[in-house]
Amino acid sequence: MLTESEVLSTLQMVQNEHLDVRTVTLGVSLYDCQSDDVQRLTQNIYNKIYRLGRSFVALCDQVGEKYGIEVVNKRIAVSPAALVAAACRPEEFVEVARCLDRAAHDVGVDFIGGFTALVEKGMAPGDTHLLEAMPEALASTERVCASVNVASSRSGLNMDAIARMGEVLKETAAATADRDGLGCAKLCVFANLPEDVPFMAGAYLGAGEPDAVINVGVSGPGVVKKAIDRAVAANPELSLGELSETIKRTAYKVTRVGEIVGREVAKGLGVGFGIVDLSLAPTPNVGDSVGEIFQSLGLSHIGVPGSTALLAMLNDAVKKGGAFASSSVGGLSGAFIPVSEDLNIAEAAHQGHLGLEKLEAMTAVCSVGLDMVALPGAIPAVTLAGIIADEMAIGVINHKTTAARLIPVPGKQAGDKAVFGGLLGEAHIMPVRDMDGSAGFIRHGGRIPAPLHSLKN
């Protein structure tokens, strides 16, 4: 039961600290749209998304206005395109992507996810064709997001798929070279990708999900920071255990707000409610940064020694508070540390406090992984594959989701700035050591077997 002061503090979050619901995502199953004729397939896809989604954005705004809480992003996630359009050739997959883009535009959502392939154990022809189409599909659409699951704790790492993704990233960056490789900002490579993620670029609707469902992503790094600042100002001698309790209580309140909004949107649309994703997701705005939480807890910058331990504590406290607030928790549920989307993290990387290796270490204790990392345009595809393989191994061994959203920026070098715009932000390009050292390993190909967990250490 919340105390009177906690109710008042929730009102303060809404009024003064920009508490919002980061994303409400409508999941739409497209399996009943399948056809061996691409024209009929795309028409079926468009009709279903438009029928279920045409009142979605207005309803989110209406519910947000009712509670005085902004729903920042309204998005749609669909069944994996590689399965829905398995019979399509590469050029037809591009048509499917353009259909998704058109449908997203017409219902008014900012992103649509599900241009997805699940290839952790091997690739079927539909998967291969989707990957071939991906660079053009992402370059010729505005709102389509893509994801590829290349590893899982049960199947191990598909190194052939990882090597191919290194090439796809280079091709996608080249296709969007005039926008600093923007296409790669809409493409995420995963290990252990959940079926109910509401956040982009990884959102898709899994095979075990309902025909239509609402999933909610709550966030609130600014709210957590303010709560810590208040607690420390009241008592500078607070221990980390006591500060963890403060974060936990804050996450509880943020989660309750998200679930109330999500359930009301689901009821209004006449579809089921799925999950609340308990992630701390920053934006490029001042005061809405995960990196600033590190400074509130005593570190000079994110990336200095102590950062991994602090992130582990933060992640755990958010999950504990959120899990107590909702019985429908899913998605990624962790703390995002996207470089370009978080002003404080981007600045720490630019000043040299945060390198690629430290970022990778921190992803062992948080969701999601190497997120929105701008890299030199000259980086070889096999080196990108090596970075992806390292990140996937962390997820596979630790039974958690990890991801790599890497952006090789054409024509630019370490230290140059890449600008992606809007929520995707901007960042200086991070250096990569030993860019020519991965080729021999990656070219072996095959599959790294699933780990043995009975001898865990």
Side-chain angles (χ1 to χ4, degrees):
M1 180 69 72
L2 291 177
T3 65
E4 184 177 327
S5 65
E6 286 174 317
V7 172
L8 291 174
S9 74
T10 304
L11 289 174
Q12 186 181 22
M13 289 177 186
V14 176
Q15 293 169 350
N16 303 326
E17 297 171 9
H18 310 295
L19 173 63
D20 53 42
V21 174
R22 185 53 48 86
T23 183
V24 176
T25 301
L26 170 64
V28 178
S29 172
L30 299 182
Y31 292 119
D32 54 354
C33 299
Q34 291 174 321
S35 171
D36 57 2
D37 180 280
V38 70
Q39 297 302 324
R40 187 174 303 164
L41 170 67
T42 52
Q43 191 62 53
N44 290 344
I45 289 173
Y46 180 90
N47 290 345
K48 183 160 188 184
I49 293 173
Y50 188 80
R51 175 172 58 82
L52 288 170
R54 60 188 169 190
S55 60
F56 171 57
V57 172
L59 185 57
C60 287
D61 291 338
Q62 184 182 326
V63 173
E65 190 174 336
K66 175 181 175 182
Y67 291 105
I69 298 169
E70 183 184 7
V71 178
V72 179
N73 300 300
K74 301 92 177 175
R75 294 163 173 177
I76 289 177
V78 299
S79 311
L83 300 179
V84 174
C88 285
R89 300 185 299 274
E91 62 272 19
E92 293 172 329
F93 267 107
V94 175
E95 288 304 310
V96 171
R98 289 172 178 161
C99 168
L100 293 173
D101 198 49
R102 190 166 61 253
H105 175 271
D106 290 353
V107 300
V109 297
D110 49 5
F111 282 122
I112 184 166
F115 200 71
T116 296
L118 310 172
V119 297
E120 60 270 20
K121 209 168 182 179
M123 283 191 278
D127 303 315
T128 305
H129 293 164
L130 181 138
L131 294 188
E132 191 172 334
M134 198 167 276
E136 185 178 350
L138 291 175
S140 62
T141 59
E142 181 185 354
R143 305 177 190 222
V144 172
C145 288
S147 54
V148 182
N149 194 68
V150 297
S152 74
S153 295
R154 283 190 172 275
S155 303
L157 283 76
N158 183 344
M159 293 301 293
D160 293 327
I162 289 172
R164 180 71 183 108
M165 287 313 300
E167 297 168 351
V168 169
L169 283 174
K170 291 285 287 185
E171 294 163 11
T172 303
T176 51
D178 58 334
R179 290 165 280 169
D180 279 349
L182 178 65
C184 296
K186 300 186 291 175
L187 166 58
C188 213
V189 185
F190 277 94
N192 295 323
L193 174 60
E195 296 185 332
D196 51 11
V197 180
F199 287 105
M200 296 295 171
Y204 82 104
L205 190 72
E209 296 287 310
D211 188 55
V213 64
I214 289 291
N215 294 321
V216 174
V218 299
S219 183
V223 173
V224 171
K225 177 187 181 303
K226 293 281 179 57
I228 293 169
D229 289 345
R230 276 197 301 273
V232 172
N235 181 6
E237 303 305 319
L238 281 176
S239 70
L240 289 173
E242 290 165 324
L243 287 167
S244 173
E245 182 68 17
T246 299
I247 298 168
K248 195 169 72 175
R249 284 174 169 268
T250 305
Y252 170 84
K253 288 178 274 189
V254 171
T255 305
R256 292 299 293 169
V257 169
E259 177 151 339
I260 288 169
V261 171
R263 286 192 181 277
E264 190 142 339
V265 172
K267 185 179 178 183
L269 285 177
V271 305
F273 177 74
I275 57 95
V276 182
D277 185 316
L278 312 172
S279 289
L280 283 182
T283 70
N285 301 325
V286 174
D288 199 23
S289 162
V290 170
E292 289 176 357
I293 296 174
F294 284 64
Q295 293 171 328
S296 289
L297 285 169
L299 295 181
S300 62
H301 300 86
I302 183 172
V304 301
S307 297
T308 307
L310 189 157
L311 186 58
M313 182 193 84
L314 175 65
N315 213 33
D316 181 67
V318 168
K319 287 183 180 181
K320 285 175 176 170
F324 187 60
S326 173
S327 58
S328 302
V329 174
L332 300 169
S333 291
F336 291 178
I337 47 172
V339 178
S340 77
E341 295 178 1
D342 186 307
L343 199 60
N344 187 281
I345 295 176
E347 187 59 26
H350 177 48
Q351 293 178 0
H353 301 295
L354 183 62
L356 194 59
E357 292 81 1
K358 185 61 175 177
L359 262 179
E360 183 184 303
M362 292 169 68
T363 65
V365 299
C366 83
S367 297
V368 166
L370 295 172
D371 198 13
M372 291 299 289
V373 180
L375 299 173
I379 187 171
V382 289
T383 307
L384 287 168
I387 296 171
I388 294 170
D390 285 344
E391 190 60 37
M392 299 302 106
I394 289 173
V396 167
I397 294 294
N398 291 293
H399 269 284
K400 68 186 289 293
T401 302
T402 53
R405 190 159 46 151
L406 309 173
I407 308 167
V409 184
K412 294 193 175 178
Q413 303 173 356
D416 292 344
K417 181 183 276 190
V419 179
F420 308 114
L423 183 63
L424 300 175
E426 59 185 47
H428 286 83
I429 293 165
M430 299 180 78
V432 180
R433 290 191 294 175
D434 301 319
M435 285 210 295
D436 299 321
S438 307
F441 171 65
I442 296 300
R443 285 176 182 146
H444 278 295
R447 188 154 56 92
I448 295 179
L452 177 65
H453 287 286
S454 61
L455 297 177
K456 200 158 185 157
N457 201 341

